[in-house]
Amino acid sequence: MRLGLFVILYFFFKWLFNYHKEQAVTAITRSVCALGLTLGILAGHQLYLVFLDVGFDRFTVAPVTGLSGNKNILSGTLFMLLPFLLLGAYRSEKKIRWLYILTILLLTYILWQLRTRSILIATLVFSIMALLCYWYGAYKNKFAKTVLIAIPSISVVLFFMLFFLGYLSEVSEFLQLKAGSKTGTLAERFVIWEKSIELYKQHPFLGVGSGNWKIAFPEVGLEGLSRAEQTTTFFARPHNDWIQILCETGIIGGLLWISIWISLFWKNSVILGSSIIQKQVIQRSLILAGSIGFAVFSAFSYPLERIEFIILLALYIAFLNHRLTSKNKSKKIHTHRIFLITTIAFLGIASVYGFLRIQREYFINAIKDKTVKNQQIFNSDYYHPTIYSITPIGIPVKYYEGISYLQTADYNSAIKAFQEALLIAPNDLPTHLNIGVSYFRSDQTEKALYHYHTALKISPKHQNVLFNTAALYYKLRDKQKALEYLNKVQDDYPRKKEFLEAVYQL
């Protein structure tokens, strides 16, 4: 669905640029300015409230989300607006240029205060590439051309070395990334990226299917991911769109995605080298550098899952692919009409997707609430065969139905619901754990043991699974096995001390 929307938006924007040229660019930059100013004011207000409460640092600004789900997505959106704002400031008349400059300063200040590391890196890359593109396009400098080609080429080689030759773990050790420290999230991502490459190697040609990374990821195990070993933590994405595309679509989709970027970069490098009009050089330089910045950002985050980035990426690529000259005369259309159409289209598409997302989250939160309150869950509460069969983090919705039956001691119904959940996500650890509990409580110990061991293959150090496995062997009066698994449970685990004493009395 997102791919179809991207294609439609791409051809719409390209039609605007090809047939309405200057008017379209002016209207687009004005729309971006209005959007940027709105988001900037909202995020600035949130920053002010945070400052009054606790002050600024990278962790206290987490509640600053604007209209996005989190601060990283907000930072990415603001960053993607900057190249078009700079373009608007360059093209606009003096009487409205101050509005663009004010918006640029506001967004830059907010980005600095949010301190999203991936965006800071993307901004640095954008600045360097914009200068190189302009240097090459305006002065036809051969050194600038060499550096311009060398940077993406070296990046591709480094990507291959890191992810396919096993250097990622060495980089992690060199940087002394440790889980639980301030760099813990980056260390965790390194582990996820390594395991994602393992997943790709198991499905090299066609991948695991679009949107299925979160379901297939447990196939390669959760060992080394401390949060998943200590608690039931779910990973919905690898925080790297390049790796996610490779895992979900295989080498075919991965090469297609890379070829799009290579052709885009190569085509615009040729245009910059042959262009003699400074205005065209500046425009191409800003937007090409902005698209490269997006590519860098997407290597540390998941912008392709968000509708705002799909719209902005379609806008970027359409601008970079539109014809500089056309045999067709530019059709006359009032700039304010394009501005109005573009703004309404952006808000309309974002609103529809937002409504569908909120609707889905409403139903999912409702069944979670029923689960907590030990209330029975029915199909009418949640079920839609294509939309509501799985949560955004990869948990089958039938899992919650199984939990509700388990809490009311209806073990046969719980087992049936969990089995249906496993048909959707066969490697879902919580489902294996809780179907094991259901079998255990209904005295089907062999089946319970099978699911506990399956869960341990996914996460060998998961505390709940280890404790439950020890309890099962205790029930079977196998003291040695019970102690084997119980000794792997951390000492501060609830009820371990009392249970250990009971095992020793066997």
Side-chain angles (χ1 to χ4, degrees), residues 26-50:
T26 300
I28 292 294
T29 54
R30 288 182 182 179
S31 299
V32 169
C33 185
L35 178 62
L37 192 59
T38 302
L39 291 176
I41 292 172
L42 179 59
H45 176 66
Q46 293 175 341
L47 268 176
Y48 175 70
L49 296 179
V50 168

Side-chain angles (χ1 to χ4, degrees), residues 137-247:
Y139 302 102
K140 307 300 182 283
N141 186 282
K142 292 183 178 180
F143 176 76
K145 178 181 179 181
T146 302
V147 176
L148 199 59
I149 295 174
I151 289 177
S153 302
I154 293 172
S155 300
V156 172
V157 173
L158 286 176
F159 179 86
F160 179 80
M161 290 177 63
L162 285 175
F163 295 108
F164 291 93
L165 299 181
Y167 287 99
L168 198 60
S169 57
E170 294 183 17
V171 173
S172 180
E173 290 177 10
F174 175 76
L175 296 175
Q176 295 183 334
L177 301 178
K178 297 179 180 179
S181 66
K182 289 187 177 181
T183 58
T185 54
L186 185 56
E188 185 177 80
R189 287 185 193 180
F190 272 42
V191 176
I192 292 173
W193 294 345
E194 286 184 292
K195 290 183 175 292
S196 295
I197 294 300
E198 291 180 30
L199 180 64
Y200 157 73
K201 290 177 180 178
Q202 293 179 9
H203 308 271
F205 297 109
L206 298 177
V208 298
S210 179
N212 287 340
W213 182 92
K214 56 181 173 286
I215 298 174
F217 180 66
E219 282 183 26
V220 294
L222 303 177
E223 190 173 4
L225 297 166
S226 57
R227 286 195 299 159
E229 292 173 343
Q230 304 302 325
T231 60
T232 303
T233 300
F234 306 96
F235 299 98
R237 57 192 69 86
H239 280 263
N240 186 317
D241 276 342
W242 295 79
I243 291 179
Q244 186 163 352
I245 289 171
L246 190 64
C247 287

Side-chain angles (χ1 to χ4, degrees), residues 30 130 290 330 373 387 417 485:
R30 288 182 182 179
S330 177
K373 295 178 180 178
I387 299 178
Y485 286 93

Side-chain angles (χ1 to χ4, degrees), residues 64-202:
V64 180
T65 61
L67 296 174
S68 306
N70 59 60
K71 79 177 184 71
N72 293 350
I73 298 300
L74 172 63
S75 298
T77 305
L78 299 184
F79 166 76
M80 290 286 285
L81 298 179
L82 281 178
F84 274 98
L85 288 171
L86 290 167
L87 180 59
Y90 169 73
R91 292 170 48 88
S92 63
E93 301 172 359
K94 288 185 178 180
K95 61 182 179 181
I96 62 170
R97 185 171 297 165
W98 65 269
L99 188 60
Y100 284 100
I101 295 173
L102 175 65
T103 306
I104 291 168
L105 293 174
L106 176 61
L107 299 194
T108 303
Y109 173 76
I110 292 171
L111 286 175
W112 177 250
Q113 291 298 344
L114 293 178
R115 297 170 193 174
T116 303
R117 290 170 292 186
S118 57
I119 291 301
L120 293 178
I121 295 171
T123 304
L124 177 62
V125 172
F126 162 71
S127 303
I128 293 172
M129 295 303 291
L131 290 173
L132 284 172
C133 288
Y134 177 73
W135 189 14
Y136 171 55
Y139 302 102
K140 307 300 182 283
N141 186 282
K142 292 183 178 180
F143 176 76
K145 178 181 179 181
T146 302
V147 176
L148 199 59
I149 295 174
I151 289 177
S153 302
I154 293 172
S155 300
V156 172
V157 173
L158 286 176
F159 179 86
F160 179 80
M161 290 177 63
L162 285 175
F163 295 108
F164 291 93
L165 299 181
Y167 287 99
L168 198 60
S169 57
E170 294 183 17
V171 173
S172 180
E173 290 177 10
F174 175 76
L175 296 175
Q176 295 183 334
L177 301 178
K178 297 179 180 179
S181 66
K182 289 187 177 181
T183 58
T185 54
L186 185 56
E188 185 177 80
R189 287 185 193 180
F190 272 42
V191 176
I192 292 173
W193 294 345
E194 286 184 292
K195 290 183 175 292
S196 295
I197 294 300
E198 291 180 30
L199 180 64
Y200 157 73
K201 290 177 180 178
Q202 293 179 9

